[in-house]
Amino acid sequence: MPRQERAPDAGCQRVVLFPLPYESHLSPMLQLAALLHARGLDVTVLHTDFNAPDPARHPDLTFVSIRESLPEEAVEADIIAQLLALNAACEAPFRDALASLQPGVACAIVDGEWYAALGAAAKVGVPALALMTESAATSRNILAFPRLRDAGYEYDTSKDEQQLDELVPRLEPLRVRDLIRVDGWEADGLRGLIVLMADAMRSAASGVILNTFDAIEASELEKIQAELSQPTFAVGPLHRVSPAMSAAERSFLHVPDRSCLAWLDAQPPRSVLYVSLGSMARVDRVVFDEMAWGLAHSSVPFLLVARPGLANGINDAPPPLPEGLTDVVGIGNNNAARGKVVTWAPQKDVLAHPAIGGFWTHCGWNSTLESICEGVPMLAQPCLGDQTVSARYITHQWGVALELGEVFDRVRVAEAARKLMVGEEGSPSKGEGWQAEN
């Protein structure tokens, strides 16, 4: 369907957006930008040079670099150190870039993890809204973090299993083990980052925008509004309500291999398990090998995304498949192949394809929303950050996913894949009862 856009009025004020430079954050922010532009607003996207989006893919929007100077060591740092370094490096350049666009800026919409930019906008006199690219449940977790820390409810690997399985007061159904965490990375840095985000949301933001909708998170949205003095707006799912984007516009930092769609065309309805751990998660090589062998032994047709950097220790290339696996399962474009491997997939199109019967996911919020809206049941393998929160909700609150479990080997993987794809747990049928209303 062609876009239906209204030309901006001559006196239309500008809205400035500032996305966090990661695939999962760029996507909803640029979807929101397209939605605002279609409503007749003049939209300018300020962006970092680090992981900069390609303006040529979004011809309707204006892009302006803030020209930050990110320390070289921050580029290779872990995600928490990188986020802290980005906030420090971008505060002044963002403030100056925003000031240079004055007068005429009605408001700024800033990713909720840009806590420094939220404060900088206030110094320029521009009201700023925080776009939370996580779920409402995760946003509640962030707001509650200071209270949880003081009450001793932080996730801590030194806790025993009984303590980790304890429900968190006022955050049910979350257990301690489901709280936001980044295993293997410096805990004090994560604590500091979450506190800064919570403080900025409360004190610097003029309002909070959430990429979610009442049908699944009405209770969480009500509780967030009760905690905040400023208004909250549920505007999602953005991938469904924003204007239709071309394939080029939907590609932000990774270029999808669209040959997988032709391969899916040759597969029976609801027969293929789509496997993707998103744009940021990393797993040990042994875990990737067990994933691959488990898929091979499951007898389930699969589409596997093996992006560069997915396996620890292999940064610039996709992890190679285990030796001998191709001979066992058959992988390729031909119709007889039971598996296909790509470095990146056009996920929205894949999940909407009738051949897809299940989604093995890292439980990133964008992926979760897309799967729910297409009625695709999920197999949950949370890896970091807010993904444990989403995993708990999709498995125990909304009943649209199965847990992969803590024990991870090829036998467990094969059993879980078969259970999702051919067992009763894979019901309801794709597209029945889970579709988001638009």
Side-chain angles (χ1 to χ4, degrees), residues 72-90:
E72 186 174 343
E73 60 271 17
V75 175
E76 300 299 327
D78 67 50
I79 186 62
I80 301 303
Q82 196 171 82
L83 284 169
L84 294 169
L86 278 166
N87 271 276
C90 294

Side-chain angles (χ1 to χ4, degrees), residues 42-394:
D42 183 3
V43 178
T44 295
V45 179
L46 295 181
H47 65 87
T48 59
D49 286 337
F50 174 73
N51 284 350
D54 182 358
R57 296 181 178 177
H58 310 276
D60 294 334
L61 307 176
T62 299
F63 288 79
V64 177
S65 171
I66 66 169
R67 302 297 181 193
E68 82 286 357
S69 296
L70 185 66
E72 186 174 343
E73 60 271 17
V75 175
E76 300 299 327
D78 67 50
I79 186 62
I80 301 303
Q82 196 171 82
L83 284 169
L84 294 169
L86 278 166
N87 271 276
C90 294
E91 181 176 7
F94 169 77
R95 182 187 64 230
D96 295 344
L98 186 60
S100 72
L101 297 174
Q102 289 281 61
V105 176
C107 73
I109 300 176
V110 177
D111 191 289
E113 295 188 23
W114 280 131
Y115 57 83
L118 285 168
K123 293 176 183 177
V124 179
V126 175
L129 302 170
L131 173 63
M132 302 303 293
T133 60
E134 303 85 0
S135 66
T138 296
S139 299
R140 282 186 60 215
N141 191 166
I142 292 168
L143 288 168
F145 186 81
R147 169 178 64 83
L148 299 178
R149 178 193 55 193
D150 294 344
Y153 277 100
E154 286 182 280
Y155 174 82
D156 186 340
T157 54
S158 67
K159 295 179 183 290
D160 60 32
E161 290 298 307
Q162 185 175 355
Q163 291 173 310
L164 291 175
D165 284 332
E166 185 178 350
L167 289 174
V168 181
R170 292 159 53 191
L171 283 181
E172 300 86 353
L174 297 183
R175 304 161 298 178
V176 172
R177 69 168 70 251
D178 303 316
L179 297 175
I180 298 172
R181 67 177 191 264
V182 183
D183 293 342
W185 288 333
E186 200 268 316
D188 288 340
L190 177 61
R191 294 186 189 104
L193 175 66
I194 296 177
V195 168
L196 289 166
M197 288 174 59
D199 288 347
M201 210 188 312
R202 292 182 187 280
S203 61
S206 298
V208 176
I209 302 172
L210 296 114
N211 183 20
T212 190
F213 55 107
D214 286 344
I216 59 173
E217 292 204 282
S219 176
E220 285 71 23
L221 287 165
E222 289 177 2
K223 290 169 183 174
I224 287 175
Q225 186 60 83
E227 288 202 36
L228 295 174
S229 58
Q230 56 272 72
T232 59
F233 307 95
V235 300
L238 282 169
H239 76 282
R240 293 290 292 269
V241 301
S242 63
M245 289 185 174
S246 68
E249 288 176 296
R250 293 201 302 268
S251 303
F252 299 101
L253 300 178
H254 300 280
V255 179
D257 181 349
R258 299 187 65 81
S259 70
C260 62
L261 297 176
W263 180 81
L264 287 172
D265 288 342
Q267 310 306 314
R270 300 190 70 240
S271 65
V272 177
L273 176 61
Y274 171 53
V275 184
S276 175
L277 299 186
S279 60
M280 295 181 66
R282 301 175 69 92
V283 297
D284 291 337
R285 179 56 200 269
V286 67
V287 171
F288 177 78
D289 286 352
E290 292 300 301
M291 289 174 62
W293 278 118
L295 289 169
H297 293 317
S298 71
S299 299
V300 171
F302 63 88
L303 170 61
L304 170 63
V305 175
R307 71 167 203 282
L310 174 61
N312 289 320
I314 311 175
N315 295 329
D316 300 321
L321 294 175
E323 185 176 354
L325 182 138
T326 300
D327 295 334
V328 172
V329 71
I331 292 176
N333 289 315
N334 59 302
N335 295 354
R338 187 162 63 79
K340 183 169 177 62
V341 181
V342 295
T343 57
W344 195 248
Q347 181 164 290
K348 185 177 177 181
D349 296 328
V350 167
L351 289 172
H353 198 286
I356 295 297
F359 181 15
W360 178 350
T361 175
H362 63 307
C363 306
W365 186 236
N366 293 329
S367 294
T368 300
L369 278 179
E370 290 166 5
S371 199
I372 288 173
C373 289
E374 294 298 340
V376 177
M378 289 169 274
L379 190 59
Q381 185 190 352
C383 297
L384 72 149
D386 65 306
Q387 296 162 15
T388 50
V389 177
S390 296
R392 181 65 172 174
Y393 270 76
I394 63 177

Side-chain angles (χ1 to χ4, degrees), residues 3-7 32-41 43 60-61 241-243:
R3 297 185 186 183
Q4 297 181 2
E5 297 178 356
R6 178 169 61 86
L32 178 59
L35 181 61
L36 295 173
H37 176 78
R39 297 297 191 271
L41 293 174
V43 178
D60 294 334
L61 307 176
V241 301
S242 63

